[in-house]
Coordinates of all heavy atoms in Angstrom, one line a residue:
I2 N -0.3 -17.5 1.4 CA 0.3 -18.9 1.5 C -0.6 -19.6 2.5 O -0.9 -19.1 3.6 CB 1.7 -18.9 2.0 CG1 2.6 -18.2 1.1 CG2 2.2 -20.3 2.3 CD1 4.0 -18.0 1.6
L3 N -1.1 -20.7 2.1 CA -1.9 -21.5 3.0 C -1.0 -22.5 3.8 O 0.0 -22.9 3.3 CB -3.0 -22.3 2.2 CG -3.9 -21.5 1.4 CD1 -4.8 -22.4 0.5 CD2 -4.8 -20.6 2.2
N4 N -1.5 -22.9 5.0 CA -0.7 -23.8 5.8 C -0.3 -25.1 5.1 O 0.8 -25.5 5.2 CB -1.5 -24.1 7.1 CG -0.6 -24.7 8.2 OD1 0.6 -24.4 8.2 ND2 -1.2 -25.5 9.1
G5 N -1.2 -25.7 4.3 CA -0.9 -26.9 3.6 C 0.2 -26.7 2.5 O 0.8 -27.7 2.1
D6 N 0.4 -25.5 2.1 CA 1.4 -25.3 1.0 C 2.8 -25.7 1.5 O 3.7 -26.0 0.7 CB 1.4 -23.8 0.6 CG 0.2 -23.4 -0.2 OD1 -0.5 -24.3 -0.8 OD2 -0.1 -22.2 -0.2
F7 N 3.1 -25.6 2.8 CA 4.4 -26.0 3.2 C 4.7 -27.4 3.2 O 5.9 -27.9 3.3 CB 4.6 -25.4 4.7 CG 4.6 -23.9 4.8 CD1 3.6 -23.3 5.3 CD2 5.7 -23.2 4.2 CE1 3.6 -21.9 5.4 CE2 5.7 -21.9 4.3 CZ 4.7 -21.2 4.8
V8 N 3.7 -28.3 2.9 CA 3.9 -29.7 2.7 C 4.5 -30.0 1.3 O 5.4 -30.8 1.2 CB 2.6 -30.5 2.9 CG1 2.8 -31.9 2.5 CG2 2.1 -30.3 4.3
K9 N 4.1 -29.2 0.4 CA 4.5 -29.4 -1.0 C 5.6 -28.4 -1.5 O 6.3 -28.8 -2.4 CB 3.2 -29.3 -2.0 CG 3.5 -29.6 -3.4 CD 2.2 -29.6 -4.2 CE 2.6 -29.9 -5.7 NZ 1.5 -29.8 -6.6
Y10 N 5.7 -27.3 -0.9 CA 6.6 -26.2 -1.4 C 7.6 -25.8 -0.3 O 7.3 -25.8 0.9 CB 5.8 -25.0 -1.8 CG 4.8 -25.3 -2.9 CD1 3.4 -25.4 -2.6 CD2 5.2 -25.4 -4.2 CE1 2.5 -25.7 -3.7 CE2 4.3 -25.7 -5.3 CZ 3.0 -25.8 -5.0 OH 2.1 -26.0 -5.9
F11 N 8.7 -25.3 -0.8 CA 9.7 -24.6 0.0 C 9.3 -23.1 -0.2 O 9.0 -22.7 -1.3 CB 11.1 -24.7 -0.4 CG 11.7 -26.1 -0.1 CD1 12.1 -26.9 -1.2 CD2 11.9 -26.5 1.1 CE1 12.6 -28.1 -1.0 CE2 12.5 -27.8 1.3 CZ 12.8 -28.6 0.3
A12 N 9.3 -22.3 0.9 CA 9.1 -20.9 0.8 C 10.5 -20.2 0.9 O 11.2 -20.4 1.9 CB 8.1 -20.4 1.9
V13 N 10.9 -19.5 -0.1 CA 12.2 -18.8 -0.1 C 11.9 -17.3 0.0 O 11.1 -16.8 -0.8 CB 13.0 -19.1 -1.4 CG1 14.3 -18.3 -1.4 CG2 13.3 -20.6 -1.5
L14 N 12.4 -16.7 1.0 CA 12.2 -15.3 1.3 C 13.5 -14.5 1.3 O 14.4 -14.9 2.1 CB 11.5 -15.1 2.6 CG 11.2 -13.7 3.1 CD1 10.3 -13.0 2.1 CD2 10.7 -13.7 4.5
V15 N 13.6 -13.5 0.5 CA 14.7 -12.6 0.5 C 14.2 -11.3 0.9 O 13.2 -10.8 0.4 CB 15.4 -12.5 -0.9 CG1 16.5 -11.5 -0.9 CG2 15.9 -13.8 -1.4
V16 N 14.9 -10.6 1.9 CA 14.5 -9.3 2.3 C 15.6 -8.3 2.2 O 16.7 -8.6 2.7 CB 14.0 -9.3 3.8 CG1 13.6 -8.0 4.3 CG2 12.8 -10.3 3.9
K17 N 15.4 -7.2 1.6 CA 16.3 -6.1 1.5 C 15.8 -5.0 2.4 O 14.6 -4.7 2.5 CB 16.5 -5.6 0.1 CG 17.0 -6.7 -0.8 CD 18.1 -6.1 -1.6 CE 18.7 -7.1 -2.6 NZ 20.1 -7.0 -2.7
S18 N 16.7 -4.4 3.2 CA 16.3 -3.3 4.0 C 17.2 -2.1 3.9 O 18.4 -2.3 3.5 CB 16.2 -3.7 5.5 OG 17.5 -4.1 5.9
G19 N 16.7 -1.0 4.2 CA 17.5 0.3 4.1 C 16.7 1.4 3.5 O 15.4 1.4 3.5
K20 N 17.3 2.4 3.0 CA 16.7 3.6 2.5 C 16.4 3.5 1.0 O 16.3 4.5 0.3 CB 17.5 4.8 2.9 CG 17.6 5.0 4.4 CD 18.1 6.4 4.8 CE 18.3 6.5 6.2 NZ 17.3 6.0 7.1
K21 N 16.3 2.3 0.5 CA 16.1 2.0 -0.9 C 14.9 1.0 -1.0 O 14.9 0.1 -0.2 CB 17.3 1.5 -1.6 CG 18.5 2.4 -1.6 CD 19.7 1.7 -2.2 CE 20.9 2.6 -2.2 NZ 22.0 2.0 -2.8
K22 N 14.1 1.2 -2.0 CA 13.1 0.2 -2.3 C 13.6 -0.6 -3.6 O 14.0 0.0 -4.5 CB 11.7 0.8 -2.6 CG 10.6 -0.2 -2.9 CD 9.3 0.5 -3.1 CE 8.2 -0.5 -3.3 NZ 8.4 -1.5 -4.3
F23 N 13.4 -1.9 -3.6 CA 13.8 -2.7 -4.6 C 12.7 -3.4 -5.4 O 11.6 -3.6 -4.8 CB 14.7 -3.9 -4.1 CG 16.1 -3.4 -3.7 CD1 16.3 -2.9 -2.4 CD2 17.2 -3.6 -4.5 CE1 17.5 -2.5 -2.0 CE2 18.4 -3.2 -4.1 CZ 18.6 -2.6 -2.9
D24 N 12.9 -3.6 -6.7 CA 12.0 -4.4 -7.5 C 12.7 -5.8 -7.8 O 13.9 -5.8 -8.1 CB 11.7 -3.8 -8.8 CG 10.7 -2.6 -8.7 OD1 9.9 -2.6 -7.7 OD2 10.7 -1.7 -9.6
F25 N 12.0 -6.8 -7.6 CA 12.5 -8.2 -7.8 C 11.8 -8.8 -9.0 O 10.6 -8.6 -9.2 CB 12.3 -9.1 -6.6 CG 13.0 -8.7 -5.4 CD1 12.4 -8.0 -4.4 CD2 14.3 -9.0 -5.2 CE1 13.0 -7.6 -3.2 CE2 15.0 -8.6 -4.1 CZ 14.4 -7.9 -3.1
R26 N 12.5 -9.6 -9.8 CA 11.9 -10.4 -10.9 C 12.6 -11.7 -11.0 O 13.8 -11.9 -11.0 CB 12.2 -9.7 -12.3 CG 11.6 -8.3 -12.4 CD 10.3 -8.3 -13.1 NE 9.9 -6.9 -13.5 CZ 9.1 -6.2 -12.7 NH1 8.7 -6.7 -11.6 NH2 8.7 -5.0 -13.0
T27 N 11.7 -12.8 -11.0 CA 12.2 -14.1 -11.2 C 12.7 -14.3 -12.6 O 12.0 -14.0 -13.6 CB 11.2 -15.1 -10.9 OG1 10.7 -14.9 -9.5 CG2 11.7 -16.6 -11.0
Q28 N 14.0 -14.7 -12.8 CA 14.5 -14.9 -14.1 C 14.4 -16.4 -14.6 O 14.0 -16.7 -15.7 CB 16.0 -14.5 -14.2 CG 16.1 -13.0 -14.0 CD 17.5 -12.5 -14.0 OE1 18.4 -13.2 -13.4 NE2 17.8 -11.4 -14.6
K29 N 14.8 -17.3 -13.7 CA 14.8 -18.7 -14.0 C 14.8 -19.6 -12.8 O 15.5 -19.2 -11.8 CB 16.0 -19.0 -14.9 CG 16.0 -20.5 -15.4 CD 17.3 -20.9 -16.1 CE 18.2 -19.9 -16.7 NZ 19.4 -20.4 -17.4
V30 N 14.0 -20.6 -12.8 CA 14.1 -21.7 -11.8 C 14.4 -22.9 -12.5 O 13.7 -23.3 -13.5 CB 12.7 -21.8 -11.0 CG1 12.8 -23.0 -10.0 CG2 12.3 -20.5 -10.3
R31 N 15.5 -23.6 -12.1 CA 16.0 -24.8 -12.8 C 16.2 -25.9 -11.9 O 16.8 -25.7 -10.8 CB 17.3 -24.4 -13.6 CG 17.7 -25.5 -14.6 CD 19.1 -25.1 -15.1 NE 20.0 -25.1 -14.0 CZ 21.1 -25.7 -13.9 NH1 21.5 -26.5 -14.9 NH2 21.9 -25.6 -12.9
Y32 N 15.8 -27.1 -12.2 CA 16.0 -28.3 -11.4 C 16.9 -29.3 -12.1 O 16.6 -29.6 -13.2 CB 14.6 -28.9 -11.1 CG 14.7 -30.1 -10.2 CD1 15.0 -30.0 -8.8 CD2 14.5 -31.4 -10.7 CE1 15.1 -31.1 -8.0 CE2 14.6 -32.5 -9.9 CZ 14.9 -32.3 -8.5 OH 15.0 -33.4 -7.7
D33 N 17.9 -29.7 -11.5 CA 18.9 -30.7 -12.0 C 18.5 -32.0 -11.5 O 18.7 -32.3 -10.3 CB 20.3 -30.3 -11.7 CG 21.3 -31.2 -12.3 OD1 21.0 -32.4 -12.6 OD2 22.4 -30.8 -12.6
E34 N 17.9 -32.9 -12.3 CA 17.5 -34.2 -11.8 C 18.6 -35.1 -11.4 O 18.4 -36.1 -10.6 CB 16.6 -34.9 -12.9 CG 15.3 -34.1 -13.1 CD 14.4 -34.8 -14.0 OE1 14.6 -36.0 -14.3 OE2 13.4 -34.2 -14.5
E35 N 19.8 -34.9 -12.0 CA 20.9 -35.8 -11.6 C 21.4 -35.5 -10.2 O 21.8 -36.4 -9.4 CB 22.1 -35.6 -12.6 CG 21.8 -36.2 -14.0 CD 23.0 -36.0 -14.9 OE1 24.1 -35.8 -14.5 OE2 22.7 -36.2 -16.1
T36 N 21.5 -34.2 -9.8 CA 22.0 -33.9 -8.5 C 20.9 -33.5 -7.5 O 21.2 -33.3 -6.3 CB 23.0 -32.6 -8.6 OG1 22.2 -31.5 -9.1 CG2 24.1 -32.9 -9.5
N37 N 19.7 -33.4 -8.0 CA 18.6 -33.0 -7.1 C 18.8 -31.7 -6.5 O 18.4 -31.4 -5.4 CB 18.2 -34.1 -6.1 CG 17.7 -35.4 -6.6 OD1 17.1 -35.4 -7.7 ND2 18.0 -36.4 -5.9
E38 N 19.4 -30.8 -7.3 CA 19.6 -29.4 -6.9 C 18.8 -28.4 -7.8 O 18.6 -28.6 -8.9 CB 21.1 -29.1 -7.0 CG 22.0 -29.9 -6.0 CD 23.4 -29.6 -6.1 OE1 23.8 -28.7 -6.9 OE2 24.2 -30.3 -5.4
L39 N 18.3 -27.4 -7.1 CA 17.5 -26.4 -7.7 C 18.2 -25.1 -7.7 O 18.8 -24.8 -6.7 CB 16.1 -26.3 -7.0 CG 15.1 -25.5 -7.7 CD1 13.7 -26.2 -7.5 CD2 15.0 -24.2 -7.0
S40 N 18.1 -24.3 -8.7 CA 18.7 -23.0 -8.7 C 17.6 -21.9 -9.0 O 16.8 -22.1 -9.9 CB 19.8 -22.8 -9.7 OG 19.4 -23.0 -11.0
L41 N 17.5 -21.0 -8.2 CA 16.6 -19.8 -8.3 C 17.4 -18.6 -8.7 O 18.2 -18.2 -8.0 CB 15.9 -19.6 -7.0 CG 15.1 -18.3 -6.8 CD1 14.0 -18.2 -7.8 CD2 14.6 -18.1 -5.4
S42 N 17.1 -18.1 -9.9 CA 17.8 -16.9 -10.4 C 16.8 -15.8 -10.5 O 15.8 -15.9 -11.1 CB 18.4 -17.2 -11.8 OG 19.1 -16.1 -12.3
Y43 N 17.2 -14.6 -9.9 CA 16.3 -13.5 -9.9 C 17.1 -12.2 -10.1 O 18.3 -12.2 -9.8 CB 15.4 -13.4 -8.7 CG 16.1 -13.2 -7.4 CD1 16.3 -11.8 -6.9 CD2 16.7 -14.2 -6.6 CE1 17.0 -11.6 -5.8 CE2 17.4 -13.9 -5.5 CZ 17.5 -12.6 -5.1 OH 18.2 -12.4 -3.9
S44 N 16.5 -11.2 -10.4 CA 17.1 -9.9 -10.6 C 16.5 -8.9 -9.5 O 15.3 -9.1 -9.1 CB 17.0 -9.2 -11.9 OG 15.6 -8.9 -12.2
S45 N 17.3 -8.1 -9.0 CA 16.8 -7.0 -8.1 C 17.5 -5.7 -8.5 O 18.6 -5.7 -8.9 CB 17.2 -7.3 -6.6 OG 18.6 -7.2 -6.4
K46 N 16.7 -4.7 -8.5 CA 17.2 -3.3 -8.8 C 16.5 -2.3 -8.0 O 15.3 -2.5 -7.6 CB 17.0 -3.0 -10.3 CG 15.6 -2.9 -10.8 CD 15.6 -2.5 -12.3 CE 14.1 -2.2 -12.7 NZ 14.0 -1.7 -14.0
V47 N 17.2 -1.2 -7.7 CA 16.6 -0.2 -6.9 C 15.5 0.6 -7.7 O 15.8 1.0 -8.8 CB 17.7 0.8 -6.5 CG1 17.1 2.0 -5.7 CG2 18.8 0.1 -5.6
S48 N 14.3 0.7 -7.1 CA 13.3 1.4 -7.8 C 13.1 2.8 -7.2 O 12.7 3.7 -7.9 CB 12.0 0.6 -7.8 OG 11.6 0.4 -6.4
I49 N 13.4 2.9 -5.9 CA 13.3 4.2 -5.3 C 14.5 4.3 -4.4 O 14.8 3.5 -3.6 CB 12.0 4.4 -4.4 CG1 10.8 4.2 -5.2 CG2 12.0 5.7 -3.7 CD1 9.5 4.1 -4.4
D50 N 15.2 5.4 -4.5 CA 16.5 5.7 -3.7 C 16.3 6.8 -2.8 O 15.5 7.7 -3.0 CB 17.6 5.9 -4.7 CG 19.0 5.6 -4.1 OD1 19.1 5.3 -2.9 OD2 20.0 5.7 -4.8
N51 N 17.1 6.9 -1.8 CA 17.2 8.0 -0.9 C 15.9 8.3 -0.1 O 15.4 9.4 0.0 CB 17.6 9.3 -1.6 CG 19.1 9.2 -2.1 OD1 19.9 8.6 -1.5 ND2 19.3 9.7 -3.4
L52 N 15.3 7.2 0.4 CA 14.1 7.4 1.2 C 14.5 8.0 2.6 O 15.6 7.8 3.0 CB 13.4 6.0 1.4 CG 12.8 5.4 0.1 CD1 12.5 3.9 0.4 CD2 11.7 6.1 -0.4
K53 N 13.5 8.6 3.2 CA 13.8 9.2 4.5 C 13.9 8.2 5.6 O 14.6 8.4 6.6 CB 12.7 10.3 4.8 CG 12.7 11.5 3.9 CD 11.7 12.5 4.3 CE 11.8 13.7 3.4 NZ 11.0 14.8 3.8
E54 N 13.2 7.1 5.4 CA 13.1 6.1 6.5 C 13.5 4.7 5.9 O 13.4 4.5 4.7 CB 11.7 6.0 7.1 CG 11.3 7.4 7.6 CD 10.4 7.3 8.8 OE1 10.1 6.1 9.3 OE2 9.9 8.3 9.2
D55 N 13.9 3.8 6.8 CA 14.3 2.5 6.3 C 13.0 1.7 6.0 O 12.0 1.9 6.6 CB 15.0 1.7 7.4 CG 16.5 2.1 7.6 OD1 16.9 2.9 6.7 OD2 17.0 1.7 8.6
V56 N 13.1 1.0 4.9 CA 12.0 0.1 4.5 C 12.5 -1.3 4.3 O 13.7 -1.5 4.1 CB 11.3 0.7 3.1 CG1 10.7 2.0 3.3 CG2 12.3 0.7 2.0
F57 N 11.5 -2.2 4.3 CA 11.8 -3.6 4.0 C 11.2 -4.0 2.8 O 10.0 -3.7 2.6 CB 11.3 -4.5 5.2 CG 12.0 -4.3 6.5 CD1 11.6 -3.4 7.4 CD2 13.2 -4.9 6.7 CE1 12.2 -3.2 8.6 CE2 13.9 -4.8 7.9 CZ 13.4 -3.9 8.8
T58 N 11.9 -4.6 1.8 CA 11.3 -5.0 0.5 C 11.5 -6.5 0.5 O 12.6 -7.1 0.4 CB 12.1 -4.4 -0.6 OG1 12.2 -3.0 -0.4 CG2 11.4 -4.7 -1.9
P59 N 10.3 -7.3 0.6 CA 10.4 -8.7 0.6 C 10.2 -9.3 -0.8 O 9.6 -8.7 -1.7 CB 9.2 -9.1 1.4 CG 8.2 -8.0 1.2 CD 9.0 -6.8 1.0
Y60 N 10.9 -10.4 -1.1 CA 10.7 -11.2 -2.3 C 10.4 -12.6 -1.8 O 11.3 -13.2 -1.2 CB 12.0 -11.1 -3.2 CG 12.0 -12.1 -4.3 CD1 11.1 -12.0 -5.3 CD2 13.0 -13.0 -4.4 CE1 11.2 -12.9 -6.4 CE2 13.1 -13.9 -5.5 CZ 12.2 -13.8 -6.5 OH 12.2 -14.7 -7.5
L61 N 9.2 -13.1 -2.1 CA 8.9 -14.4 -1.7 C 8.5 -15.3 -2.9 O 7.7 -14.9 -3.8 CB 7.6 -14.3 -0.7 CG 7.0 -15.7 -0.3 CD1 8.0 -16.4 0.7 CD2 5.7 -15.4 0.4
I62 N 9.0 -16.5 -2.9 CA 8.7 -17.5 -4.0 C 8.5 -18.8 -3.4 O 9.2 -19.2 -2.5 CB 9.8 -17.5 -5.1 CG1 9.3 -18.3 -6.3 CG2 11.1 -17.9 -4.6 CD1 10.2 -18.2 -7.5
L63 N 7.5 -19.6 -3.9 CA 7.3 -20.9 -3.5 C 7.8 -21.9 -4.5 O 7.6 -21.7 -5.7 CB 5.8 -21.2 -3.3 CG 5.0 -20.4 -2.2 CD1 3.5 -20.8 -2.2 CD2 5.6 -20.7 -0.8
I64 N 8.6 -22.9 -4.1 CA 9.3 -23.8 -5.0 C 8.9 -25.2 -4.6 O 8.9 -25.6 -3.4 CB 10.8 -23.6 -4.8 CG1 11.2 -22.2 -5.3 CG2 11.5 -24.7 -5.7 CD1 12.7 -21.9 -5.0
D65 N 8.5 -26.0 -5.6 CA 8.0 -27.3 -5.4 C 9.2 -28.1 -4.8 O 10.3 -28.1 -5.3 CB 7.7 -27.9 -6.8 CG 6.9 -29.3 -6.7 OD1 7.3 -30.0 -5.7 OD2 6.1 -29.5 -7.5
K66 N 8.9 -28.9 -3.8 CA 10.0 -29.6 -3.1 C 10.6 -30.7 -3.9 O 11.8 -30.9 -3.7 CB 9.4 -30.2 -1.7 CG 9.2 -29.2 -0.7 CD 8.8 -29.8 0.6 CE 8.7 -28.8 1.7 NZ 8.2 -29.4 3.0
K67 N 9.9 -31.4 -4.6 CA 10.4 -32.6 -5.4 C 11.3 -33.4 -4.5 O 10.9 -33.7 -3.4 CB 11.2 -32.1 -6.6 CG 10.3 -31.4 -7.6 CD 11.0 -31.1 -8.9 CE 10.1 -30.3 -9.8 NZ 10.7 -30.0 -11.1
N68 N 12.5 -33.7 -4.9 CA 13.5 -34.4 -4.1 C 14.7 -33.5 -3.9 O 15.9 -33.9 -3.9 CB 13.9 -35.7 -4.7 CG 12.8 -36.7 -4.7 OD1 12.1 -36.8 -3.7 ND2 12.7 -37.4 -5.8
T69 N 14.5 -32.2 -3.7 CA 15.5 -31.2 -3.7 C 16.5 -31.4 -2.5 O 16.0 -31.4 -1.3 CB 15.0 -29.8 -3.7 OG1 14.1 -29.7 -4.8 CG2 16.0 -28.8 -3.8
N70 N 17.8 -31.4 -2.7 CA 18.8 -31.5 -1.7 C 19.4 -30.1 -1.3 O 19.8 -29.9 -0.2 CB 20.0 -32.4 -2.1 CG 19.6 -33.8 -2.3 OD1 18.7 -34.3 -1.6 ND2 20.1 -34.5 -3.3
K71 N 19.3 -29.2 -2.3 CA 19.9 -27.9 -2.1 C 19.3 -26.9 -3.1 O 18.9 -27.2 -4.2 CB 21.4 -27.9 -2.4 CG 22.2 -26.6 -2.3 CD 23.7 -26.7 -2.5 CE 24.0 -26.9 -3.9 NZ 25.4 -26.8 -4.3
I72 N 19.1 -25.7 -2.6 CA 18.6 -24.6 -3.4 C 19.7 -23.5 -3.5 O 20.2 -23.0 -2.5 CB 17.3 -23.9 -2.9 CG1 16.2 -25.0 -2.8 CG2 16.9 -22.8 -3.7 CD1 15.0 -24.5 -2.0
S73 N 20.2 -23.2 -4.8 CA 21.1 -22.2 -4.9 C 20.4 -20.9 -5.3 O 19.6 -20.9 -6.2 CB 22.1 -22.5 -6.1 OG 22.9 -23.7 -5.8
I74 N 20.7 -19.9 -4.6 CA 20.0 -18.6 -4.8 C 21.0 -17.6 -5.5 O 22.1 -17.4 -5.0 CB 19.5 -18.0 -3.4 CG1 18.6 -19.0 -2.8 CG2 18.9 -16.6 -3.6 CD1 18.2 -18.6 -1.4
I75 N 20.6 -17.2 -6.7 CA 21.4 -16.4 -7.6 C 20.7 -15.0 -7.8 O 19.6 -15.0 -8.3 CB 21.6 -17.1 -8.9 CG1 22.3 -18.5 -8.6 CG2 22.5 -16.3 -9.9 CD1 22.2 -19.5 -9.8
E76 N 21.4 -14.0 -7.4 CA 20.9 -12.6 -7.6 C 21.7 -11.8 -8.5 O 22.9 -11.8 -8.4 CB 20.9 -11.9 -6.2 CG 20.3 -10.5 -6.3 CD 20.4 -9.8 -5.0 OE1 21.5 -9.6 -4.4 OE2 19.3 -9.3 -4.5
N77 N 21.1 -11.3 -9.6 CA 21.8 -10.6 -10.6 C 23.0 -11.3 -11.1 O 24.0 -10.7 -11.4 CB 22.2 -9.2 -10.1 CG 20.9 -8.3 -9.7 OD1 19.9 -8.5 -10.3 ND2 21.1 -7.5 -8.7
G78 N 22.8 -12.6 -11.4 CA 23.9 -13.4 -12.0 C 25.0 -13.9 -11.0 O 25.9 -14.6 -11.4
R79 N 24.9 -13.5 -9.7 CA 25.9 -13.9 -8.7 C 25.3 -14.8 -7.7 O 24.2 -14.4 -7.1 CB 26.4 -12.6 -8.1 CG 27.7 -12.8 -7.3 CD 28.2 -11.5 -6.7 NE 28.0 -11.7 -5.2 CZ 27.4 -10.9 -4.4 NH1 26.8 -9.8 -4.9 NH2 27.3 -11.1 -3.2
K80 N 25.9 -15.9 -7.5 CA 25.4 -16.8 -6.4 C 25.6 -16.2 -5.0 O 26.7 -15.8 -4.7 CB 26.1 -18.2 -6.4 CG 25.5 -19.2 -5.4 CD 26.2 -20.5 -5.4 CE 26.0 -21.3 -6.6 NZ 26.6 -22.7 -6.4
I81 N 24.5 -16.0 -4.3 CA 24.6 -15.4 -3.0 C 24.5 -16.4 -1.8 O 25.0 -16.1 -0.7 CB 23.6 -14.3 -2.8 CG1 22.2 -14.7 -3.0 CG2 23.9 -13.1 -3.8 CD1 21.2 -13.7 -2.5
Y82 N 23.9 -17.6 -2.1 CA 23.7 -18.5 -1.0 C 23.3 -19.9 -1.5 O 22.6 -20.0 -2.5 CB 22.6 -18.0 -0.1 CG 22.6 -18.6 1.3 CD1 23.5 -18.3 2.2 CD2 21.6 -19.6 1.6 CE1 23.5 -18.9 3.5 CE2 21.5 -20.2 2.8 CZ 22.5 -19.8 3.8 OH 22.5 -20.3 5.0
D83 N 23.8 -20.9 -0.9 CA 23.4 -22.3 -1.1 C 22.6 -22.7 0.1 O 23.1 -22.7 1.3 CB 24.6 -23.2 -1.3 CG 25.1 -23.2 -2.7 OD1 24.4 -22.9 -3.6 OD2 26.3 -23.4 -2.8
L84 N 21.4 -23.0 -0.1 CA 20.4 -23.4 1.0 C 20.3 -24.9 1.1 O 19.6 -25.4 0.2 CB 19.1 -22.6 0.8 CG 18.0 -22.8 1.8 CD1 18.4 -22.2 3.1 CD2 16.8 -22.1 1.3
P85 N 20.9 -25.6 2.0 CA 20.6 -27.0 2.1 C 19.2 -27.2 2.6 O 18.6 -26.5 3.4 CB 21.6 -27.5 3.1 CG 22.0 -26.3 3.9 CD 21.8 -25.1 3.0
T86 N 18.5 -28.3 2.1 CA 17.2 -28.6 2.5 C 17.2 -29.8 3.3 O 18.1 -30.7 3.2 CB 16.3 -28.8 1.2 OG1 16.8 -29.9 0.5 CG2 16.2 -27.6 0.4
R87 N 16.3 -29.9 4.3 CA 16.2 -31.1 5.1 C 15.0 -31.8 4.7 O 13.9 -31.3 4.7 CB 16.0 -30.6 6.6 CG 17.2 -29.9 7.1 CD 16.9 -29.5 8.5 NE 17.9 -28.5 8.9 CZ 17.8 -27.7 9.9 NH1 16.7 -27.8 10.7 NH2 18.6 -26.8 10.1
R88 N 15.2 -33.1 4.3 CA 14.1 -33.9 3.8 C 14.1 -35.2 4.6 O 15.0 -35.7 4.9 CB 14.2 -34.2 2.3 CG 14.1 -32.8 1.6 CD 13.6 -33.0 0.2 NE 12.7 -34.0 -0.1 CZ 11.3 -33.8 0.0 NH1 10.8 -32.7 0.3 NH2 10.5 -34.7 -0.4

């Protein structure tokens, strides 16, 4: 990520930690022009279980800012967080 990217994009970071390693896949990014809300839908699944030590598994995505008021983060079909944006 270059420093100038933060002018045009939101950086959304999800981190899982523990004795499991996860694989992440972006399923859908949808922007609603009427409400100026964006939804980020992704899947996460355990790829390695029962590790001896804790690990951190990051998932980072850059999203075009547009006129976004809120980003809804949806993991495995379940909304986990609504992230208000400051513009």
Side-chain angles (χ1 to χ4, degrees):
I2 299 174
L3 301 174
N4 195 29
D6 289 339
F7 293 108
V8 173
K9 187 176 178 185
Y10 300 101
F11 291 115
V13 177
L14 176 65
V15 175
V16 178
K17 297 226 180 219
S18 64
K20 298 196 183 315
K21 300 176 182 182
K22 182 179 181 311
F23 286 82
D24 283 335
F25 296 100
R26 300 262 189 266
T27 301
Q28 294 177 321
K29 185 185 339 179
V30 177
R31 189 185 62 124
Y32 181 72
D33 185 330
E34 292 185 17
E35 290 182 18
T36 63
N37 293 332
E38 295 178 3
L39 188 139
S40 64
L41 165 63
S42 182
Y43 67 93
S44 64
S45 69
K46 68 177 185 174
V47 175
S48 59
I49 302 173
D50 201 357
N51 298 320
L52 295 168
K53 291 184 179 189
E54 305 212 3
D55 285 348
V56 296
F57 294 93
T58 309
Y60 169 62
L61 175 68
I62 186 168
L63 295 179
I64 298 173
D65 193 326
K66 284 186 175 179
K67 297 185 182 181
N68 290 319
T69 306
N70 295 323
K71 178 175 77 170
I72 300 172
S73 296
I74 301 174
I75 302 164
E76 179 182 60
N77 297 330
R79 193 180 113 236
K80 186 186 287 191
I81 60 169
Y82 197 75
D83 280 331
L84 181 67
T86 60
R87 295 181 198 164
R88 296 207 34 90

